[in-house]
Structure formats: structure tokens, C-alpha cells
């Protein structure tokens, strides 16, 4: 799997390079600012880019804006935002445009290397990986719809775990319930959100979008 890393902190950048290389990833480029990131993605055509938010020159939201550009210009490239901060405005845009192949993890909440590698692999394969704290910020920043408001507390828990990119089996393990019960909750969520079966739409992704407003 081919990866581009964008991180302005040299120690963090080199640490990510070593971590991923040791686990069999091919790091095509490791850059320190958003312009270098755009150029590296265009030149290397990676499977996924790991992107910090605050990079030169202003150290505000360059990374997220570059991530949105990459998703527009290189739709086959997954984007995993890896930052200390939650930036709701651009994060919502990043997910709303096309949420498949997008992740957002917080650096200080990733305690297990295996979890990070699993999230990166999932995003590169077209899945999603959202930190629960990121989901919470997006919920508070958005507006609750009537469908989401009608969900039970347990259905909201299931939907939150769906937003993290968990499968039904993963949700069952996290909530200590059976996969059959999860399937019933998921079916209820789809019904309350008005998401009928469709060959062209991913209902899990659409449900997550409703969830974040």
C-alpha cells in the first residue's frame, strides 16, 4: 500500500515513516506543508494520504483544505486526517462531499499502533474511520434532523459506532450484544432516517452523514 505523509513536525513525520515502513507500507513521500502535499499526491498517486491539519505557512487549516482538494482532484486517494485538533467546518465539508475513503483521528487518542494501521488500511480501501470525539464535535456543530432525533439512545450508540467505521460484528463486540440485535438496530436506523435499500447508495454512509448533521 502506497502512502504519502504530510506532517510539519519533523519528529512526528519521521516516526510515522518508520512505523509504516516497518509494517510493510510504501511511503512515497513525507512532506512538511500543504503545497508539497498536493505535489506529492499528484506525482506519486498513493492509495492514501496521512495529513495533519495545521501546517505552514499559517498553521491553521492548510491540511484540511488540501485534503478537500485531494478528494476533488484525486478521487481514488483515501485521506486520513491525523491531528491534535478538531476543525468542524472543513471536516464536515470533507465528509459531506464524499465520505467513503475518509478518516479523522486525534493524535493524543491513538494509543495502539494496530488501531492506527487498521484505520489507515480501512480508509485506503474506501471505508471510514472517525474518532468518537470527532463525531461528537461534528454532532454539536451540526443541526439535528427529525429522523436522528427519533432514534433511541441505543440506536444512537449504534450509529456513533457506524460513524467510526465499525462493522456490525465490531459494534456487537463494543456494545456486548449479539450481531442479530445490531442488525435490528441498523434496520430501525435506516427506516427512521428514510433510507430504503438501494443498489447505488451506501446506506451506512448516508446514515452517518445524517448523524453528523
Amino acid at each position: 500500500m502506497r502512502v504519502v505523509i504530510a506532517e510539519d513536525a519533523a519528529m512526528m513525520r519521521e516516526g510515522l515513516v518508520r512505523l509504516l515502513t516497518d509494517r510493510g507500507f510504501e511511503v512515497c513521500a513525507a512532506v512538511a506543508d500543504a503545497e508539497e502535499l498536493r505535489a506529492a499526491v499528484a506525482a506519486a498517486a498513493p492509495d492514501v494520504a496521512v495529513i495533519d491539519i495545521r501546517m505552514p505557512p499559517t498553521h491553521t487549516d492548510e491540511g484540511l483544505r488540501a485534503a478537500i482538494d485531494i478528494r476533488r482532484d484525486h478521487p481514488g486517494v483515501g485521506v486520513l486526517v491525523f491531528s491534535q485538533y478538531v476543525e468542524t467546518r472543513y471536516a464536515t465539508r470533507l465528509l459531506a462531499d464524499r465520505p467513503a475513503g475518509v478518516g479523522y483521528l486525534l493524535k493524543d487518542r491513538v494509543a495502539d499502533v494496530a488501531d492506527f494501521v487498521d484505520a489507515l488500511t480501512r480508509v485506503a480501501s474506501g471505508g471510514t474511520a472517525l474518532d468518537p470525539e470527532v463525531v461528537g464535535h461534528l454532532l454539536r456543530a451540526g443541526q439535528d434532523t427529525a429522523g436522528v432525533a427519533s432514534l433511541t439512545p441505543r440506536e444512537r450508540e449504534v450509529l456513533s459506532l457506524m460513524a467510526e467505521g465499525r462493522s456490525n460484528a465490531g459494534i456487537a463486540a463494543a456494545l456486548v450484544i449479539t450481531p442479530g440485535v445490531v442488525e435490528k438496530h441498523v434496520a430501525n436506523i435506516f427506516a427512521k432516517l428514510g433510507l430504503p435499500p438501494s443498489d447505488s447508495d451506501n446506506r451506512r454512509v448516508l446514515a452517518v452523514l445524517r448523524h453528523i448533521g
Side-chain angles (χ1 to χ4, degrees), residues 158-181:
V158 170
L159 187 51
S160 291
L161 290 169
M162 287 169 60
E164 294 174 35
R166 305 283 189 97
S167 65
N168 283 1
I171 294 170
L175 298 180
V176 195
I177 56 179
T178 68
V181 171

Side-chain angles (χ1 to χ4, degrees), residues 79-169:
V79 166
L80 177 60
V81 175
F82 190 46
S83 178
Q84 293 174 286
Y85 310 98
V86 180
E87 217 308 333
T88 56
R89 181 174 50 146
Y90 286 111
T92 302
R93 279 185 56 194
L94 182 64
L95 286 159
D97 288 344
R98 187 163 47 87
V102 174
Y104 197 141
L105 301 180
L106 298 179
K107 291 177 180 177
D108 59 357
R109 287 171 53 87
V110 177
D112 192 312
V113 170
D115 290 342
F116 176 78
V117 171
D118 177 69
L120 182 62
T121 303
R122 193 160 65 243
V123 168
S125 301
T128 57
L130 302 179
D131 185 282
E133 188 168 323
V134 173
V135 173
H137 278 273
L138 293 172
L139 269 174
R140 290 189 289 272
Q143 295 181 345
D144 204 3
T145 65
V148 174
S150 70
L151 300 181
T152 66
R154 178 61 93 183
E155 289 165 354
R156 283 174 175 268
E157 286 182 308
V158 170
L159 187 51
S160 291
L161 290 169
M162 287 169 60
E164 294 174 35
R166 305 283 189 97
S167 65
N168 283 1

Side-chain angles (χ1 to χ4, degrees), residues 45-57:
D47 298 297
V48 62
V50 180
I51 304 173
D52 191 15
I53 291 177
R54 299 187 178 184
M55 291 189 291

Side-chain angles (χ1 to χ4, degrees), residues 7 9 18 27 36-37 42 49 54 57 62 69-70 76 80-82 107 114 118 123-124 136 140 187 211:
E7 166 64 62
R18 175 63 64 87
V27 178
E36 288 182 315
L37 166 62
R54 299 187 178 184
E62 284 86 355
D69 291 344
I70 289 167
L80 177 60
V81 175
F82 190 46
K107 291 177 180 177
D118 177 69
V123 168
R140 290 189 289 272
H211 180 47

Side-chain angles (χ1 to χ4, degrees), residues 4 6 31-43 55-57 62-63 65-67 69-70:
V4 165
V31 301
D33 65 54
E35 287 308 311
E36 288 182 315
L37 166 62
R38 292 181 177 91
V41 169
M55 291 189 291
E62 284 86 355
R65 288 190 282 113
D69 291 344
I70 289 167

